Amino acid sequence: MPTTDGYGQGFALPTLTDAPDLPGQLSALAAGLIPRGVMRFASSSTRGATLTGSYAPVGGMLTYLQDIQRLDHYDGSTWVTISTGASSWKTISLTSGFQQNGNSNGNLQYRLLNISGEESLQFRGAIGRSSWPSTPAGSYVINSTALPSAVRPQTLRTVTIPCSDVNSSRIALKLDVRTDGYLEVFGTGSGVKPPWIGFNGTIVSL
């Protein structure tokens, strides 16, 4: 009769008194070991198509999604992200009138983060503007190309960002990270023409 493992994981181990059945014993061993390791899948859709029926996920399972380099944990009802692989910084293309590396803070860039199981968008760098209209508009969309759909928030995200106090009556502006992937800065005007606008440390939930 098979015995159970000494680690309390509940899968059967063959004994010398068992009838010979190598395929069955290997299958039982695999069924015990594989669900308790880190299973690799090409994508979440592949995982969903594979882990069904008698192979449905159970609490405590771990999977690694190769397309997005992500480790997920099944909490008994849903998959929860517990880490994200290295996410490279990507430079954001700017609309006419704005330049990269404002105040020598580096180019305006973004990357995908995972914080406590929640995907977030992080920015760094700054943009500059050497000249403004005599009466600037109250807001400007600063990116010429929309951010990819994978890093667009589900609803509008509004945060505060710093700006220079040179030629500006204020030192902070409002940034809207829109659901269509565009970044809109608010607060400019006849008395607010800052030579740079910063984004370092800005994080919004997706």
Side-chain angles (χ1 to χ4, degrees), residues 176-202:
D176 274 359
V177 183
R178 300 179 353 192
T179 57
D180 61 1
Y182 284 95
L183 310 175
E184 189 168 5
V185 173
F186 291 81
T188 51
S190 57
V192 183
K193 304 176 182 179
W196 61 264
I197 301 170
F199 296 82
N200 287 317
T202 302

Side-chain angles (χ1 to χ4, degrees), residues 3-184:
T3 61
T4 56
D5 69 282
Y7 294 95
Q9 296 304 296
F11 62 90
L13 296 174
T15 66
L16 292 176
T17 58
D18 293 336
D21 182 10
L22 184 58
Q25 291 169 347
L26 290 176
S27 178
L29 186 62
L33 288 173
I34 293 175
R36 290 166 174 79
V38 179
M39 294 177 284
R40 293 181 294 174
F41 295 97
S43 64
S44 61
S45 59
T46 302
R47 179 181 64 189
T50 304
L51 300 182
T52 60
S54 59
Y55 298 101
V58 296
M61 279 186 172
L62 294 173
T63 64
Y64 180 75
L65 302 181
Q66 295 168 309
D67 60 339
I68 54 176
Q69 303 178 32
R70 194 177 76 192
L71 187 64
D72 288 350
H73 161 253
Y74 193 74
D75 67 1
S77 60
T78 189
W79 290 103
V80 178
T81 301
I82 58 176
S83 75
T84 298
S87 180
S88 60
W89 289 97
K90 297 177 177 60
T91 300
I92 297 173
S93 57
L94 302 179
T95 54
S96 177
F98 294 98
Q99 302 88 38
Q100 295 283 11
N101 195 30
N103 197 36
S104 300
N105 271 227
N107 293 343
L108 174 58
Q109 298 179 314
Y110 74 90
R111 69 172 176 174
L112 183 66
L113 286 183
N114 184 274
I115 302 174
S116 299
E118 181 177 25
E119 290 190 333
S120 302
L121 179 63
Q122 182 183 28
F123 297 98
R124 74 176 181 183
I127 60 175
R129 183 145 188 163
S130 56
S131 64
W132 292 86
S134 57
T135 305
S139 69
Y140 286 87
V141 171
I142 61 172
N143 52 325
S144 60
T145 303
L147 299 180
S149 57
V151 293
R152 297 178 190 177
Q154 297 179 17
T155 62
L156 181 69
R157 304 296 188 218
T158 299
V159 292
T160 302
I161 54 175
C163 68
S164 173
D165 61 356
V166 176
N167 297 326
S168 177
S169 60
R170 54 192 300 174
I171 60 171
L173 301 172
K174 185 184 82 163
L175 170 67
D176 274 359
V177 183
R178 300 179 353 192
T179 57
D180 61 1
Y182 284 95
L183 310 175
E184 189 168 5

